[in-house]
Amino acid sequence: MLVDWQLPDGSGLDWIRQVRRRGDNTPALVLTAKDRLQDRIQGLDSGADDYLTKPFTDDELIEAVTVQLHKTARQTDQTKRNLDTLRKSIMTAMPHELRTPLTSILTGSELLIAQSHRINPEKSQQILKGIHRGAKRLETTITRYLELIDLRINATAKTATSFLFNQEWLTQ
């Protein structure tokens, strides 16, 4: 996003801060006539990724945007690699992490069903606690797996949206 420092109804830096608080990491370039070092520091501290002082040439603007597009592409690639590593790790551990608690749930419940008339209340309570622990462990594993899926979907959607937006902007 290209943001002028001085907007008709406020500061472009305030706008960038608001966007960053919402979690939007779209590259932000501040355009301004303010050229003091302190101004540049304040602009970058607001969450801007780059700072261009007016007047600037078309080439300078294109270079600044190109740098940010490449930076975003590198970050997207790194995020994708990290998610792929996490996915592989989870997929390797998943069969064990699902079967272990499921085994305790099935074994405990089968024991209670088959032997309920012969099991004393203390032993029955102990078996039920084991079933509950297994169910909680299974719930945690499934929740983490679903969170991973959600991360992948969101990362893919954000990458696709960002790519399409950036390609449109470059062709205009």
Side-chain angles (χ1 to χ4, degrees):
M1 66 185 110
L2 301 175
V3 179
D4 199 310
W5 184 311
Q6 296 171 313
L7 298 174
D9 55 346
S11 166
L13 301 187
D14 290 338
W15 190 79
I16 291 172
R17 286 185 197 99
Q18 289 174 5
V19 168
R20 294 298 187 234
R21 276 194 295 273
R22 290 193 311 255
D24 188 335
N25 292 323
T26 302
L29 282 75
V30 173
L31 311 175
T32 184
K34 296 179 178 235
D35 62 355
R36 294 178 318 149
L37 176 61
Q38 187 60 31
D39 296 327
R40 181 176 296 273
I41 290 169
Q42 186 178 355
L44 295 173
D45 280 348
S46 73
D49 296 287
D50 205 348
Y51 189 98
L52 289 176
T53 55
K54 299 175 186 176
F56 51 83
T57 66
D58 290 348
D59 288 341
E60 289 172 319
L61 178 59
I62 290 170
E63 178 64 22
V65 169
T66 301
V67 165
Q68 293 307 313
L69 290 175
H70 286 128
K71 179 180 167 186
T72 300
R74 284 191 308 273
Q75 289 171 339
T76 300
D77 288 345
Q78 184 61 48
T79 299
K80 184 178 178 186
R81 283 192 300 275
N82 291 347
L83 285 172
D84 285 344
T85 300
L86 179 60
R87 180 186 57 80
K88 288 174 186 172
S89 174
I90 288 174
M91 295 309 288
T92 300
M94 186 60 69
H96 172 73
E97 290 300 316
L98 290 174
R99 284 192 179 104
T100 300
L102 191 56
T103 299
S104 69
I105 293 168
L106 290 172
T107 303
S109 61
E110 287 168 0
L111 181 61
L112 284 176
I113 291 167
Q115 303 291 324
S116 62
H117 61 285
R118 295 174 40 185
I119 300 174
N120 67 43
E122 266 183 36
K123 184 67 173 170
S124 180
Q125 187 70 13
Q126 188 180 11
I127 294 169
L128 285 171
K129 285 180 181 178
I131 291 171
H132 186 261
R133 277 191 309 273
K136 291 303 276 183
R137 183 174 172 187
L138 188 57
E139 177 188 42
T140 300
T141 300
I142 290 169
T143 300
R144 287 181 182 156
Y145 182 68
L146 293 174
E147 288 170 352
L148 173 67
I149 291 170
D150 188 48
L151 279 174
R152 287 186 60 79
I153 289 169
N154 289 337
T156 301
K158 184 172 175 132
T159 300
T161 302
S162 179
F163 177 77
L164 291 173
F165 171 77
N166 291 333
Q167 295 305 309
E168 281 179 22
W169 189 87
L170 287 174
T171 58
Q172 292 180 354

